[in-house]
Amino acid sequence: MKALVWHGKQDIRYDTVPDPEIEHGRDAIIKVTACAICGSDLHLFHNVIPAMKPGDIVGHETMGEVVEVGADNKKLKVGDRIVVPFNIFCGDCWQCKRGNYSLCEESNRNAALQEKAFGHRTGGLFGYTQLTGGYPGGQAEYLRVPFADTSHIRAPSGFTDEQLLFLSDILPTGWQAAVQCDIQPDDTVANWGCGPVGQMAIRSAILLGARQVIAIDYLPERLSMAAAAGAITINFQEESVLDRLNELTDGKGPEKCIDSVGMEAHGFNAFGTFYDRAKQMSLGESDRPNVLREMVYVCRPGGILSVDGVYGGLIDKFPMGIFMNKGLTMKTGQTHVKRWTDDLLRIIEDGLLDPSFVITHEAPLAEGPKMYRVFEKKQDNCIKVVLKP
Amino acid sequence: MEPSYLPTTGSMTPALRAARLLGWFSLGLGAAELIAPGRIARALGMEGRETLLRAYGAREVLAGVGALSMEPTPHIWGRVAGDAVDLATLYLVPRDADNEQQGNVRTATAVVAGIAVVDLLVAAALTQERGRTKADGSADYSDRSGFPKAPALMRGAAAGAPPPDFRNDPSRNIEHADEVRTASDVQ
Ligand SMILES: NC(=O)c1ccc[n+]([C@@H]2O[C@H](COP(=O)([O-])OP(=O)(O)OC[C@H]3O[C@@H](n4cnc5c(N)ncnc54)[C@H](O)[C@@H]3O)[C@@H](O)[C@H]2O)c1
Ligand SMILES: [Zn+2]
Ligand SMILES: [Zn+2]
């Protein structure tokens, strides 16, 4: 089959690879009908997530039609249309029982490697690093879905792939980021990063009842999409984020802050400095901490920082004194996708949100490598790319 | 805007590949200038300028690191400028050196000039395929809310959706610890 394959930094190719096969009784294999490129894929593209292996198939936002099921899989049959969460999880372990699907203790087949690096194991992920199992990803014609009997999301009829695909990742990710904020009716929620994840977080915060949502980025087209959902926008290249946030909150600061940017934040200011660049060049710091520092500084005391942006390694000079004395709470994590998808399916079916709004580009899978560049460089007003094999 | 210069089978452009090679070359040359400035100085009749050669070595290493980074373009332009400095330096080598050294200087000049041409071509190509242009960012997506009604009417529309609390869901059948452990149990 054809698939997008990682060969190194900024080197993704449309290659021919072996077809996946059923390996366990609970597996299913799907013929992919739609998949998407995620900001997390950009971290892999930039080789800033450790332990990628040349030859790895990428992609973790995928849906399709079941073409083969394992012997023990009693829930699925050939022809079923499913969306695949980006987490691989068993559904039965201590973490899965608590709904912490991204922390499944049974699904990471490279757990020994990860335990050395992280101290403990977390769950397997599609198309991601060897640390999370090195599972072949879904930017491909076919995908093997481990534990497919519990992990799948059944696609309701009457909705297009474009309307359902993002249940695999960015919609639940934005939703979890907002849920973690424990939003109160008088809250101001400030969201850094208006990529696809930020767009979903902004809409989730509105649906969950925030009084005021503020969106921060520097790309005008992304800010216009944030404004479409009712967010007040701040372009950090044109205005001071701190001044504007204080102005919009009577000097109190936003009660809830969401980091939908992650480890590759842009910007040189008080919160991201030459010191960081020097430290990063000498490998003393792997991730860019500007947004985290800014959030700690500006958040209203007692507030919550919700981090859905991905971090890979070390940051430096985290202002722990401010964080502690202001009594802040930080919530993080790879999203427990399946924990939220029943609610989110209902939201889509009730017509409260049509997630396809975020798609700006559709292309055949063969054009995938090119679309990685377009998405990476933010060319052509690109926000979200959907690929069709 | 359709970035037509991009290949359809892989994401690496020829210019990006060339930039990587130049980056490794910079690192190698820089290391040589840093580690053995004396030998280079002797070969080129530049005795006494070892400190200058070391500084050039540091410049090469920085250019190499930059050329291997995510945004090589400015660093390859930096290499072009560096080539000009190198050529000027070679031009200013005193002419009273012996024959063998003069031959070395001529060879070095030819090599640097050749590399300068390559650097210039690669830098120009990278600049050409550089990501975002002025036209990008012009789109207005303010009609893409994803909501069926005005955002103000959607505020709190899903506020009733309770976050599933797995600990309180008996169907999940989580076993509770039935005994309390104390220090003496874990000796
Ligand atoms: N937790 C999860 O399970 C999960 C799931 C999906 C994605 N993610 C992560 O979410 C993040 C965003 O993903 P995406 O698909 O939206 O990616 P993206 O790269 O399209 O979006 C990132 C946005 O952040 C903006 N930005 C950069 N620096 C900024 C700064 N200093 N202040 C404000 N904005 C800034 C960029 O302009 C860009 O629009 C990534 O780190 C991705 O890995 C996490
Ligand atoms: Zn993702
Ligand atoms: Zn599990």
Side-chain angles (χ1 to χ4, degrees):
Chain A
M1 66 164 182
K2 289 290 191 179
L4 299 190
V5 175
W6 189 93
H7 286 269
K9 188 165 78 178
Q10 288 173 317
D11 192 356
I12 298 243
R13 301 181 206 162
Y14 182 63
D15 284 350
T16 304
V17 297
D19 286 355
E21 286 169 9
I22 297 280
E23 293 175 26
H24 294 286
R26 295 174 63 185
D27 290 357
I29 289 177
I30 62 166
K31 183 179 192 314
V32 176
T33 54
C35 55
I37 307 179
C38 175
S40 301
D41 295 323
L42 283 186
H43 300 320
L44 304 178
F45 195 52
H46 293 153
N47 201 14
V48 291
I49 305 269
M52 283 298 286
K53 205 171 87 228
D56 286 345
I57 301 175
V58 287
H60 59 264
E61 302 184 359
T62 303
M63 67 182 293
E65 194 188 304
V66 175
V67 290
E68 209 180 330
V69 287
D72 307 325
N73 188 333
K74 306 288 178 230
K75 300 280 177 56
L76 286 172
K77 56 180 196 317
V78 171
D80 286 349
R81 182 174 170 235
I82 62 172
V83 182
V84 182
F86 76 88
N87 327 109
I88 297 171
F89 61 96
C90 74
D92 300 323
C93 71
W94 191 94
Q95 295 286 8
C96 284
K97 280 191 177 140
R98 285 156 179 79
N100 298 330
Y101 299 121
S102 78
L103 306 176
C104 174
E105 292 172 337
E106 299 297 329
S107 62
N108 185 351
R109 56 186 185 180
N110 292 341
L113 180 68
Q114 195 193 27
E115 279 166 357
K116 274 203 198 98
F118 286 11
H120 293 277
R121 60 177 65 187
T122 63
L125 302 174
F126 284 106
Y128 214 60
T129 132
Q130 292 297 317
L131 292 178
T132 53
Y135 286 95
Q139 287 162 6
E141 288 179 316
Y142 294 92
L143 175 69
R144 171 186 160 236
V145 184
F147 305 113
D149 54 347
T150 26
S151 71
H152 71 271
I153 303 160
R154 195 171 286 280
S157 57
F159 293 89
T160 62
D161 282 6
E162 285 77 359
Q163 290 172 301
L164 301 174
L165 175 60
F166 303 134
L167 287 165
S168 60
D169 179 351
I170 56 170
L171 178 55
T173 294
W175 180 257
Q176 179 174 307
V179 168
Q180 285 182 158
C181 285
D182 188 17
I183 292 172
Q184 305 300 313
D186 56 352
D187 274 349
T188 293
V189 176
N191 173 81
W192 277 254
C194 298
V197 167
Q199 299 293 342
M200 298 301 170
I202 288 163
R203 281 147 182 88
S204 300
I206 298 223
L207 288 171
L208 289 167
R211 182 176 70 92
Q212 167 172 260
V213 177
I214 302 170
I216 304 154
D217 206 302
Y218 72 103
L219 301 167
E221 70 278 20
R222 293 183 177 214
L223 289 170
S224 79
M225 191 184 269
I232 300 162
T233 60
I234 301 178
N235 182 331
F236 69 78
Q237 278 186 345
E238 288 169 4
E239 338 169 59
S240 151
V241 174
L242 291 188
D243 291 352
R244 283 281 285 148
L245 283 176
N246 279 324
E247 207 177 286
L248 289 162
T249 55
D250 297 325
K252 303 287 187 197
E255 286 78 18
K256 311 290 158 68
C257 297
I258 300 177
D259 172 356
S260 301
V261 177
M263 61 194 292
E264 297 188 74
H266 295 251
F268 261 152
N269 53 31
F271 299 99
T273 58
F274 283 107
Y275 167 85
D276 288 306
R277 288 298 155 92
K279 195 101 197 195
Q280 279 147 7
M281 272 190 147
S282 62
L283 304 182
E285 182 178 43
S286 55
D287 302 0
R288 300 208 195 116
N290 346 357
V291 170
L292 289 173
R293 289 180 190 148
E294 202 162 57
M295 293 198 320
V296 170
Y297 192 78
V298 77
C299 188
R300 187 171 190 167
I304 294 176
L305 314 180
S306 176
V307 180
D308 58 355
V310 162
Y311 287 82
L314 304 174
I315 63 163
D316 204 6
K317 300 248 182 303
F318 180 79
M320 192 61 201
I322 309 181
F323 182 70
M324 183 273 164
N325 285 289
K326 282 172 83 171
L328 302 178
T329 301
M330 190 190 292
K331 301 191 186 179
T332 64
Q334 297 281 0
T335 305
H336 310 301
V337 172
K338 190 68 188 289
R339 182 165 179 172
W340 315 110
T341 47
D342 285 352
D343 284 340
L344 291 169
L345 252 178
R346 211 171 317 123
I347 285 174
I348 295 173
E349 286 178 311
D350 290 352
L352 296 181
L353 181 69
D354 179 348
S356 65
F357 75 87
V358 78
I359 303 170
T360 53
H361 289 67
E362 274 200 40
L365 184 65
E367 304 266 305
K370 179 170 104 177
M371 297 317 294
Y372 263 83
R373 299 285 309 225
V374 173
F375 181 47
E376 176 202 28
K377 302 282 183 203
K378 277 74 182 162
Q379 287 174 320
D380 196 25
N381 298 298
C382 180
I383 298 185
K384 187 73 175 176
V385 180
V386 170
L387 299 171
K388 303 233 164 155
Chain B
M1 185 207 61
E2 180 68 358
S4 56
Y5 46 82
L6 295 171
T8 49
T9 53
S11 57
M12 286 279 272
T13 60
L16 201 50
R17 278 186 200 288
R20 295 273 165 88
L21 288 177
L22 289 170
W24 287 113
F25 173 75
S26 263
L27 287 183
L29 179 60
E33 286 173 317
L34 282 172
I35 296 164
R39 278 170 63 180
I40 298 174
R42 267 193 307 284
L44 296 173
M46 288 175 64
E47 284 91 344
R49 324 277 314 261
E50 282 80 3
T51 311
L52 181 72
L53 282 172
R54 258 202 211 97
Y56 286 5
R59 187 200 75 207
E60 287 287 352
V61 168
L62 285 180
V65 170
L68 292 170
S69 76
M70 238 98 73
E71 285 294 349
T73 316
H75 304 280
I76 300 295
W77 280 118
R79 277 190 47 85
V80 172
D83 294 335
V85 172
D86 285 351
L87 285 173
T89 308
L90 285 167
Y91 182 73
L92 294 176
V93 171
R95 298 285 135 178
D96 55 4
D98 66 38
N99 269 341
E100 195 200 331
Q101 287 172 337
Q102 283 199 20
N104 287 344
V105 170
R106 266 196 299 280
T107 311
T109 306
V111 169
V112 173
I115 291 174
V117 172
V118 174
D119 279 327
L120 195 65
L121 290 174
V122 173
L126 284 173
T127 303
Q128 253 273 299
E129 61 189 49
R130 234 187 125 69
R132 221 172 133 84
T133 61
K134 275 262 156 56
D136 298 323
S138 57
D140 179 5
Y141 292 130
S142 54
D143 56 344
R144 286 176 174 245
S145 79
F147 292 141
K149 298 186 210 147
L153 300 173
M154 301 308 295
R155 182 151 289 131
D165 187 336
F166 284 79
R167 281 149 307 183
N168 296 331
D169 181 356
S171 69
R172 292 258 142 200
N173 207 9
I174 292 169
E175 293 148 32
H176 290 278
D178 44 13
E179 54 186 75
V180 175
R181 287 214 293 182
T182 62
S184 59
D185 297 324
V186 290
Q187 291 313 306

